[in-house]
């Protein structure tokens, strides 16, 4: 099997220091959490950023500051910014990090209930996001929370908005979308095109179950505070690094070697960038 790519989603837009004091907000906290994740085996950082008070932002300057700080500590890490931001942000607000020319960024492939709110990703919005990513040479990571989101991504691909080979992230366990169960993971992974590369994300208590099954199926994995704050039941993780360490130890037991960032770039067919 191919080497395992571990993505660390280190802060997200919804979790707070009240829930876990280790959730990073400041530029230096975000960079340190990226470093801890890298040191434990993550090759990709899925990046959201916050103001110092914790409010989520897609501000380009804040993203630039965080990306520069991460690159200073870990020059080889792949940085995968969010274009999802937080529920309720406008498309233009969300698209700001694409102006920083990352190698890869998220593309949320449909509108759905996100907890009590609606996360809006209409087809016209998706087309705009794809156009903007294409112009800037950014590979989309198609975030799919439902089977229909895979069909939408493939519709966009047939119509030239997304290129092959395509990267997917199957995200399960968001309240309002698909549950984090193995049957759904297998069904969705089986629905991907042959050329796809893919990652699985279990939100909440299924983080490690979903990761273990994805690893056995040859997929890649995402862990981190954006999706789960606990190392085990009742035990908060004191850093993202601990969550990466745990998933790396499961990988070792299951016989999956871990990809370094350069290997992850080759597996994902990322365009080379001069930083
Ligand atoms: N914060 C969620 C509403 C992404 O990064 O693209 C959206 C999200 C997905 O986290
Ligand atoms: Zn995200």
């Amino acid at each position: 099997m191919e080497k395992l790519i571990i993505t660390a989603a280190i802060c997200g837009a919804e979790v707070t220091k009240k829930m876990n004091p280790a959730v990073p907000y400041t530029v230096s906290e975000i960079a340190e959490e990226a470093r801890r994740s890298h040191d434990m085996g993550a090759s990709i950082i899925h990046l959201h950023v916050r103001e110092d008070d914790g409010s989520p932002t897609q501000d380009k300057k804040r993203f630039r500051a965080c990306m520069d700080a991460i690159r200073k500590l870990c020059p080889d890490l792949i940085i995968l910014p969010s274009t999802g931001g937080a529920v309720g942000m406008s498309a233009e607000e969300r698209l700001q990090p694409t102006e920083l020319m990352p190698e890869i960024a998220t593309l949320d492939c449909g509108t759905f209930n996100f907890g009590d709110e609606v996360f809006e990703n209409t087809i016209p919005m998706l087309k705009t996001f794809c156009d903007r990513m294409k112009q800037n040479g950014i590979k989309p990571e198609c975030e799919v929370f439902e089977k229909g989101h895979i069909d939408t991504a493939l519709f966009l691909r047939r119509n030239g908005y997304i290129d092959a080979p395509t990267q997917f992230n199957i995200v399960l366990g968001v309240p309002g979308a698909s549950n984090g169960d193995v049957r759904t993971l297998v069904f969705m992974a089986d629905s991907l095109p042959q050329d796809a590369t893919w990652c699985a994300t279990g939100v909440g208590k299924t983080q490690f179950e979903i990761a273990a099954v994805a690893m056995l199926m040859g997929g890649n994995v995402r862990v981190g505070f954006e999706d789960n704050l606990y190392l085990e039941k009742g035990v908060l993780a004191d850093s993202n690094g601990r969550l990466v360490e745990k998933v790396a130890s499961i990988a070792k037991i299951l016989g999956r070697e871990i990809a370094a960032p350069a290997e992850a770039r080759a597996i994902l067919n990322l365009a080379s960038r001069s930083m």
Side-chain angles (χ1 to χ4, degrees), residues 105-121:
T106 62
L107 177 74
D108 295 285
C109 291
T111 296
F112 64 102
N113 290 323
F114 195 97
D116 293 343
E117 300 176 290
V118 175
F119 184 31
E120 197 183 341
N121 297 285

Side-chain angles (χ1 to χ4, degrees), residues 124-241:
M125 279 172 74
L126 288 170
K127 288 179 174 171
T128 303
F129 279 47
C130 289
D131 284 345
R132 208 68 70 81
M133 290 197 206
K134 245 190 187 177
Q135 279 159 20
N136 291 350
I138 302 166
K139 180 165 184 149
E141 177 179 85
C142 297
E143 311 291 314
V144 292
F145 301 77
E146 304 279 4
K147 159 68 163 62
H149 297 173
I150 297 175
D151 301 331
T152 300
L154 296 180
F155 159 80
L156 291 167
R157 189 165 109 147
R158 279 195 304 281
N159 287 281
Y161 288 94
I162 295 175
D163 293 332
T166 311
Q167 160 70 1
F168 290 85
N169 179 16
I170 300 171
V171 186
L172 301 177
V174 171
S178 303
N179 286 343
D181 59 57
V182 170
R183 192 178 54 145
T184 306
L185 175 62
V186 171
F187 170 56
M188 287 177 67
D190 281 350
S191 305
L192 300 175
Q194 279 297 316
D195 62 72
T197 49
W198 64 277
C199 163
T201 299
V203 175
K205 61 181 180 354
T206 64
Q207 177 153 92
F208 294 104
E209 282 164 40
I210 290 293
V213 177
M215 282 190 250
L216 288 170
M217 293 175 70
N220 299 303
V221 297
R222 179 173 110 179
V223 294
F225 287 159
E226 175 165 345
D227 310 313
N228 163 48
L229 299 165
Y230 291 86
L231 203 50
E232 57 188 76
K233 194 167 189 254
V235 181
L236 285 171
D238 63 6
S239 77
N240 281 278

Side-chain angles (χ1 to χ4, degrees), residues 43-121:
S43 50
I44 303 182
I45 299 298
H46 169 51
L47 189 63
H48 287 253
V49 301
R50 306 290 188 92
E51 300 294 354
D52 285 351
D53 67 2
S55 18
T57 176
Q58 289 290 101
D59 178 61
K60 190 169 79 171
K61 287 199 210 89
R62 189 69 169 186
F63 258 96
R64 193 197 306 276
C66 289
M67 288 165 75
D68 287 350
I70 292 171
R71 288 194 182 120
K72 217 168 176 180
L73 296 182
C74 307
D76 59 340
L77 261 175
I78 299 167
I79 302 177
L80 190 167
S82 171
T83 67
V87 171
M89 289 177 173
S90 71
E92 281 307 321
E93 205 175 351
R94 285 167 52 181
L95 277 165
Q96 289 179 76
T98 62
E99 293 168 36
L100 302 172
M101 312 297 227
E103 299 161 271
I104 182 167
T106 62
L107 177 74
D108 295 285
C109 291
T111 296
F112 64 102
N113 290 323
F114 195 97
D116 293 343
E117 300 176 290
V118 175
F119 184 31
E120 197 183 341
N121 297 285

Side-chain angles (χ1 to χ4, degrees), residues 30-45:
I30 283 177
E32 279 300 330
E33 279 300 295
R35 185 188 56 75
R36 291 187 188 105
S37 304
H38 170 265
D39 290 353
M40 291 298 164
S43 50
I44 303 182
I45 299 298

